[in-house]
């Protein structure tokens, strides 16, 4: 059993820390609602803009392309500018993007709106992770990350339950335009109440030297095996559920599996509910037993692959409802498993590189999601909407990710043990 060491100067945590961090989490919560709202509106979007599967997938692909491409720049921004400024910029961008999506009269303008939304969304999660590390002791890191992700899943739940219903009752413009009010609210909360760090815990001033500094930050973060392992864990675990929830789950369940939209909505809700429960369990387990990180990550990937294979290969035209329930339950573990990636990067990098390292990790899962979204859309068009063939591309990316995880895990664990021993020695010699 290995646990994080409390070092001198660790933030104290407490109620004020929870309140400040809660503001950051609220921004992330709203960002996830906006990000995933297209997942329950995919069929409506296809009708509104008169587009096929490939064009429909472009909405999510472009949004994720922007998100993934901005992760390292955002990490550098957080390290340099602090959390408050980056979260404020992000909230402003995703609010404008959501409002633009509501009012877009054409496919091209709607794409531009999703780009803005992706830019703002990209600034949220890394900022929330950084905020947690500034306000809570290091030993709370794994649990804080999982709880942040849990609130993101709650945002997903709002999409699957509320946005879908509002689309039927209020229509496109009112649903997406009205939801933009939540973005304006969290923007104000950030400006008025959020603080980057507790009094007396300001980080040391960083020496920034333009492009040379940026290159060093990225290179030093990337050279750490823990950063790369974290990226591949995130890459391999996150994308099956992300692709399902972000766009293709509802069409698959309704058009291919013959479920009603209400039943499909309940199955998507199940993914979110399971994710919330599993996130708390994974966070507690990892906080107490760091050695469980790799088994949990690989176990989640293998379980996902087995259940997907069983669903796609089931004899007959449709899988039974019980198997779809099992599939959605297993997909619910993917999001919490992806948070394990950050727990490899965190101890491998000093505080001044936490944002950059988190950006590299976060880029992994969204790159895999973007690739899979595109592949599924192209394969659906090429095969006449054969979902079994289209969804089979999931196994290719899972195999690639497992290979990289197995390659990097040994060296990462050895370096962590060496750093842990060194930290304990330093703590023992700190004068009273």
């Amino acid at each position: 059993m290995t646990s994080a060491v409390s070092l001198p100067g660790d933030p104290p945590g407490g109620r004020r820390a929870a309140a400040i961090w809660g503001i950051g989490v609220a921004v992330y919560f709203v960002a996830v609602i906006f990000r995933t709202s297209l997942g329950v509106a995919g069929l409506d979007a296809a009708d509104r803009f008169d587009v096929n599967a490939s064009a429909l997938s472009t909405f999510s692909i472009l949004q994720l392309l922007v998100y993934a491409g901005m992760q390292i720049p955002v990490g550098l921004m957080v390290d340099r500018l602090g959390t408050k400024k980056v979260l404020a910029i992000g909230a402003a961008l995703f609010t404008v993007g959501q409002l633009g999506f509501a009012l877009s009269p054409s496919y091209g303008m709607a794409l531009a709106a999703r780009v803005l939304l992706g830019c703002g969304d990209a600034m949220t999660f890394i900022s929330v992770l950084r905020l947690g590390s500034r306000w809570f002791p290091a030993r709370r890191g794994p649990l804080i990350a999982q709880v942040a992700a849990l609130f993101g899943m709650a945002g997903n739940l709002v999409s699957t339950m509320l946005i879908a219903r509002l689309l039927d009752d209020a229509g496109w413009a009112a649903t997406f335009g009205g939801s933009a009010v939540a973005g304006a609210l969290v923007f104000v909360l950030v400006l008025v109440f959020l603080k980057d760090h507790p009094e007396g815990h300001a980080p040391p001033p960083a020496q920034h030297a333009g492009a040379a500094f940026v290159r060093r930050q990225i290179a030093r973060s990337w050279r750490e095996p823990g950063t790369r392992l974290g990226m591949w864990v995130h890459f391999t675990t996150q994308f099956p559920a992300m692709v399902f929830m972000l766009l293709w789950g509802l069409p698959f369940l309704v058009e291919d599996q013959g479920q009603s939209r209400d039943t499909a909505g309940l199955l998507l809700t199940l993914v979110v509910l399971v994710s919330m429960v599993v996130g708390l369990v994974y966070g507690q387990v990892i906080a107490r037993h760091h050695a469980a990180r790799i088994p949990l990550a690989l176990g989640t990937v293998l379980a996902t692959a087995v259940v997907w294979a069983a669903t796609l290969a089931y004899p007959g035209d449709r899988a039974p409802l019980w198997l779809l329930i099992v599939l959605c339950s297993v997909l619910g573990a993917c999001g919490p498993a992806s948070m394990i990636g950050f727990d490899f990067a965190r101890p491998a990098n000093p505080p001044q590189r936490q944002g950059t390292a988190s950006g590299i990790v976060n880029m992994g899962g969204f790159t895999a999601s973007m690739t899979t979204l595109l592949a599924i859309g192209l394969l659906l068009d090429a095969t006449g909407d054969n979902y079994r063939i289209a969804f089979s591309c999931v196994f290719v990316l899972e195999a690639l990710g497992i290979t990289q995880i197995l390659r990097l895990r040994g060296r990462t664990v050895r370096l962590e043990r060496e750093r842990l021993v060194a930290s304990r020695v330093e703590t023992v010699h700190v004068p009273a």
Side-chain angles (χ1 to χ4, degrees), residues 108-143:
M109 291 187 67
L111 281 178
R114 296 306 283 189
V115 169
L116 275 180
L117 197 157
C119 287
D121 184 17
M123 297 181 179
T124 57
F125 190 65
I126 292 175
S127 298
V128 171
L129 289 179
R130 173 65 173 263
L131 194 65
S133 69
R134 291 298 187 197
W135 281 89
F136 293 95
R139 67 181 182 276
R140 301 292 186 192
L143 184 58

Coordinates of all heavy atoms in Angstrom, one line a residue, residues 108-143:
G108 N -22.9 25.8 -41.5 CA -21.6 26.4 -41.3 C -21.5 27.3 -40.0 O -20.5 27.2 -39.3
M109 N -22.6 28.1 -39.8 CA -22.6 28.9 -38.6 C -22.7 28.0 -37.3 O -22.1 28.4 -36.3 CB -23.7 29.9 -38.6 CG -23.5 31.0 -39.7 SD -24.8 32.3 -39.6 CE -24.4 33.0 -38.1
A110 N -23.4 26.9 -37.4 CA -23.5 26.1 -36.2 C -22.1 25.4 -35.9 O -21.7 25.3 -34.8 CB -24.5 25.0 -36.5
L111 N -21.4 25.1 -37.0 CA -20.0 24.6 -36.8 C -19.1 25.6 -36.1 O -18.4 25.2 -35.2 CB -19.4 24.2 -38.1 CG -19.8 22.8 -38.7 CD1 -19.1 22.7 -40.1 CD2 -19.5 21.7 -37.8
A112 N -19.2 26.8 -36.5 CA -18.4 27.9 -35.9 C -18.8 28.1 -34.4 O -17.9 28.3 -33.6 CB -18.6 29.2 -36.7
A113 N -20.0 27.9 -34.1 CA -20.5 28.0 -32.7 C -19.9 26.9 -31.9 O -19.5 27.1 -30.7 CB -22.0 28.0 -32.7
R114 N -19.9 25.7 -32.5 CA -19.3 24.5 -31.7 C -17.8 24.7 -31.5 O -17.2 24.2 -30.5 CB -19.6 23.2 -32.4 CG -21.0 22.8 -32.6 CD -21.8 22.8 -31.2 NE -21.5 21.6 -30.4 CZ -22.2 21.3 -29.3 NH1 -23.2 22.1 -28.9 NH2 -21.9 20.3 -28.6
V115 N -17.1 25.4 -32.4 CA -15.7 25.7 -32.2 C -15.5 26.6 -31.0 O -14.6 26.3 -30.2 CB -15.1 26.3 -33.5 CG1 -13.7 26.9 -33.2 CG2 -15.0 25.3 -34.7
L116 N -16.3 27.6 -30.9 CA -16.2 28.5 -29.8 C -16.5 27.8 -28.5 O -15.8 27.9 -27.5 CB -17.2 29.7 -29.9 CG -16.8 30.9 -30.7 CD1 -17.9 31.9 -30.7 CD2 -15.5 31.5 -30.1
L117 N -17.5 26.9 -28.5 CA -17.9 26.1 -27.4 C -16.7 25.2 -27.0 O -16.4 25.1 -25.8 CB -19.1 25.3 -27.7 CG -19.9 24.7 -26.5 CD1 -21.3 24.5 -26.9 CD2 -19.3 23.4 -26.0
G118 N -16.1 24.6 -28.0 CA -14.9 23.7 -27.7 C -13.8 24.4 -27.1 O -13.1 23.9 -26.2
C119 N -13.5 25.7 -27.6 CA -12.5 26.5 -27.0 C -12.7 26.8 -25.5 O -11.8 26.6 -24.7 CB -12.3 27.8 -27.7 SG -11.6 27.7 -29.4
G120 N -13.9 27.2 -25.2 CA -14.2 27.4 -23.8 C -14.2 26.2 -22.9 O -13.7 26.2 -21.8
D121 N -14.8 25.1 -23.4 CA -14.8 23.9 -22.7 C -13.4 23.4 -22.4 O -13.1 22.8 -21.3 CB -15.5 22.8 -23.6 CG -15.7 21.5 -22.9 OD1 -15.6 21.4 -21.7 OD2 -16.0 20.5 -23.6
A122 N -12.5 23.6 -23.3 CA -11.1 23.1 -23.2 C -10.4 23.8 -22.0 O -9.4 23.2 -21.5 CB -10.3 23.4 -24.5
M123 N -10.9 24.9 -21.5 CA -10.2 25.6 -20.5 C -10.7 25.2 -19.1 O -10.2 25.8 -18.1 CB -10.4 27.1 -20.7 CG -9.8 27.6 -22.0 SD -10.0 29.4 -22.2 CE -9.2 29.7 -23.7
T124 N -11.7 24.3 -19.0 CA -12.3 24.1 -17.7 C -11.7 23.1 -16.9 O -11.3 23.3 -15.7 CB -13.8 23.8 -17.9 OG1 -13.9 22.6 -18.7 CG2 -14.5 25.0 -18.6
F125 N -11.5 21.8 -17.4 CA -11.2 20.7 -16.5 C -9.7 20.9 -15.9 O -9.5 20.6 -14.8 CB -11.3 19.4 -17.2 CG -11.2 18.2 -16.3 CD1 -12.1 18.0 -15.3 CD2 -10.1 17.3 -16.4 CE1 -12.0 16.9 -14.4 CE2 -10.0 16.3 -15.5 CZ -10.9 16.1 -14.5
I126 N -8.8 21.3 -16.8 CA -7.4 21.4 -16.3 C -7.4 22.5 -15.2 O -6.7 22.4 -14.2 CB -6.5 21.8 -17.5 CG1 -6.4 20.6 -18.4 CG2 -5.1 22.2 -17.0 CD1 -5.5 20.9 -19.7
S127 N -8.2 23.6 -15.4 CA -8.2 24.6 -14.4 C -8.8 24.1 -13.1 O -8.3 24.5 -12.0 CB -9.1 25.8 -15.0 OG -8.6 26.4 -16.1
V128 N -9.8 23.3 -13.2 CA -10.4 22.7 -12.0 C -9.4 21.8 -11.2 O -9.3 21.8 -10.0 CB -11.7 22.0 -12.3 CG1 -12.2 21.2 -11.1 CG2 -12.8 23.0 -12.8
L129 N -8.6 21.0 -12.0 CA -7.6 20.2 -11.4 C -6.5 21.0 -10.7 O -6.1 20.8 -9.6 CB -6.9 19.3 -12.4 CG -7.8 18.1 -13.0 CD1 -7.0 17.4 -14.0 CD2 -8.2 17.2 -11.9
R130 N -6.1 22.1 -11.4 CA -5.1 23.0 -10.8 C -5.7 23.7 -9.5 O -5.0 23.8 -8.5 CB -4.7 24.0 -11.8 CG -3.8 25.2 -11.3 CD -2.4 24.6 -10.9 NE -1.6 25.7 -10.6 CZ -0.7 26.2 -11.4 NH1 -0.5 25.7 -12.6 NH2 0.1 27.2 -11.1
L131 N -6.9 24.1 -9.6 CA -7.6 24.7 -8.4 C -7.6 23.8 -7.2 O -7.3 24.2 -6.1 CB -9.0 25.2 -8.8 CG -9.7 26.2 -7.9 CD1 -9.0 27.5 -7.9 CD2 -11.1 26.3 -8.3
G132 N -7.9 22.5 -7.5 CA -7.9 21.6 -6.4 C -6.6 21.3 -5.8 O -6.4 21.2 -4.6
S133 N -5.5 21.3 -6.6 CA -4.2 21.1 -6.1 C -3.7 22.3 -5.3 O -2.8 22.2 -4.4 CB -3.2 20.8 -7.2 OG -3.0 21.9 -8.1
R134 N -4.2 23.5 -5.6 CA -3.8 24.7 -4.9 C -4.6 24.9 -3.5 O -4.1 25.6 -2.6 CB -4.1 26.0 -5.7 CG -3.2 26.1 -6.9 CD -1.7 26.2 -6.5 NE -0.9 26.5 -7.6 CZ 0.4 26.4 -7.6 NH1 1.0 25.9 -6.5 NH2 1.2 26.7 -8.7
W135 N -5.8 24.3 -3.4 CA -6.6 24.5 -2.2 C -6.7 23.3 -1.3 O -7.1 23.4 -0.1 CB -8.0 24.9 -2.6 CG -8.1 26.3 -3.0 CD1 -7.9 26.9 -4.3 CD2 -8.4 27.5 -2.2 NE1 -8.1 28.2 -4.2 CE2 -8.3 28.6 -3.0 CE3 -8.6 27.6 -0.8 CZ2 -8.6 29.9 -2.4 CZ3 -8.9 28.9 -0.3 CH2 -8.8 30.0 -1.1
F136 N -6.3 22.1 -1.8 CA -6.4 20.9 -0.9 C -5.0 20.2 -0.8 O -4.2 20.3 -1.7 CB -7.4 19.9 -1.5 CG -8.8 20.4 -1.5 CD1 -9.4 21.0 -2.6 CD2 -9.6 20.2 -0.4 CE1 -10.7 21.5 -2.6 CE2 -10.9 20.6 -0.4 CZ -11.4 21.3 -1.5
P137 N -4.8 19.4 0.3 CA -3.5 18.7 0.4 C -3.3 17.7 -0.7 O -4.3 17.2 -1.3 CB -3.7 18.0 1.8 CG -4.8 18.8 2.5 CD -5.7 19.3 1.4
A138 N -2.1 17.4 -1.0 CA -1.7 16.5 -2.1 C -2.4 15.1 -1.9 O -2.8 14.5 -2.9 CB -0.2 16.3 -2.2
R139 N -2.5 14.6 -0.7 CA -3.1 13.3 -0.5 C -4.5 13.2 -0.9 O -5.1 12.1 -1.1 CB -3.0 12.9 1.0 CG -3.8 13.7 2.0 CD -3.7 13.3 3.4 NE -4.5 14.0 4.3 CZ -4.3 15.2 4.8 NH1 -3.1 15.8 4.5 NH2 -5.1 15.8 5.6
R140 N -5.2 14.3 -1.1 CA -6.6 14.4 -1.5 C -6.7 14.4 -3.1 O -7.8 14.3 -3.6 CB -7.3 15.6 -1.0 CG -7.3 15.7 0.5 CD -8.2 14.6 1.1 NE -8.3 14.8 2.6 CZ -8.8 13.9 3.4 NH1 -9.2 12.7 2.9 NH2 -8.9 14.1 4.7
G141 N -5.6 14.4 -3.7 CA -5.6 14.6 -5.2 C -6.4 13.6 -6.0 O -7.3 14.0 -6.8
P142 N -6.2 12.3 -5.8 CA -7.1 11.3 -6.5 C -8.6 11.5 -6.3 O -9.4 11.4 -7.2 CB -6.6 10.0 -6.0 CG -5.2 10.2 -5.5 CD -5.2 11.6 -4.9
L143 N -9.0 11.7 -5.0 CA -10.4 11.8 -4.7 C -10.9 13.1 -5.3 O -12.1 13.2 -5.8 CB -10.6 11.8 -3.2 CG -12.1 11.8 -2.7 CD1 -12.8 10.7 -3.3 CD2 -12.1 11.8 -1.2

